[in-house]
Amino acid sequence: MRIEAVEGDITTESVDAIVNAANSQLMGGGGVDGAIHAAAGPTLLHECRRLRAARWHDGLPVGEAVATGAGELEAQWVIHTVGPNRHRGQTDPDLLASCFRRSLEVAEEVGARTIAFPAISAGVYGWDAAEVAAIAVDTVRSHPGHEVDLVRFVLFGAPVAQHFRETLGA
Ligand code: ADP
C-alpha cells in the first residue's frame, strides 16, 4: 500500500473513494463535509437521508463509517465517518483510529483500491493536527488488509500537510 500526503482540496481528487469527515446526522455541514456535499450535488444528501432512515435512525456513531455514491464527484464512493469531537469531551485516540480503520474496511467492502482522507477531527472538532497525523498514519500503516493500493491524505493548508509529511517521513 502506498501512503502519501498532499496539500489540496479533497473534492477534486480522482480516487475511487473520498472519505468525508461527517457529523453523525449525515446531513452535510461546514468544513470538508460542506465542500464534499456542495461538489457532489444533491444526490449525496438524498443517499445520506436514505441511509439514515434505513439503518442509522439515531445517527452514525463516532468512529463508524458508511459508504454512499459520490454524485458528481470524480470519485465513485464517499465514505462518511464521524470523528470524535474534543469540544464534547471525545478525547479517546481509539475513536479517531477507528475512523481510519473502519473507512479502510468499508473501502475494501465496496472494492475501492484508491482512497483519499482529510484530516478528520482536525477542524471544528478541535483535535491537534499533529496528533491526527500520528493516529492516521499509524492506523493506516498497521492495517492488515491488502486490497487498497493507495491511501492519499489530502490536507487543507500547508501546516497540516507538513504534519502529515513529517509523520510519514519519521
Ligand atoms: P471536523 O469536524 O472533523 O474537525 P472539519 O471539516 O472542520 O472536520 O475539518 C477537518 C479538516 O479538513 C481540517 O483540517 C480542514 O481544514 C480540512 N478541510 C476543509 N475543507 C477541505 C477540503 N475541501 N479538502 C480537504 N480538507 C479540507
Side-chain angles (χ1 to χ4, degrees), residues 3-59:
I3 308 174
E4 55 190 37
V6 299
E7 188 183 344
D9 174 359
I10 201 168
T11 64
T12 64
E13 286 289 318
S14 50
V15 286
D16 296 337
I18 285 175
V19 176
N20 180 19
N23 53 58
S24 71
Q25 312 309 313
L26 298 178
M27 294 298 281
V32 72
D33 194 8
I36 287 173
H37 275 274
T43 59
L44 188 60
L45 194 55
H46 293 153
E47 273 199 62
C48 287
R49 284 216 177 95
R50 273 207 302 275
L51 258 181
R52 271 206 65 179
R55 211 173 143 202
W56 302 105
H57 297 273
D58 298 328

Side-chain angles (χ1 to χ4, degrees), residues 8-11 21 30-33 35 118-125 154-156 160:
D9 174 359
I10 201 168
T11 64
V32 72
D33 194 8
I120 299 163
S121 290
V124 171
Y125 282 1
V154 182
L155 297 323
F156 228 39
V160 183

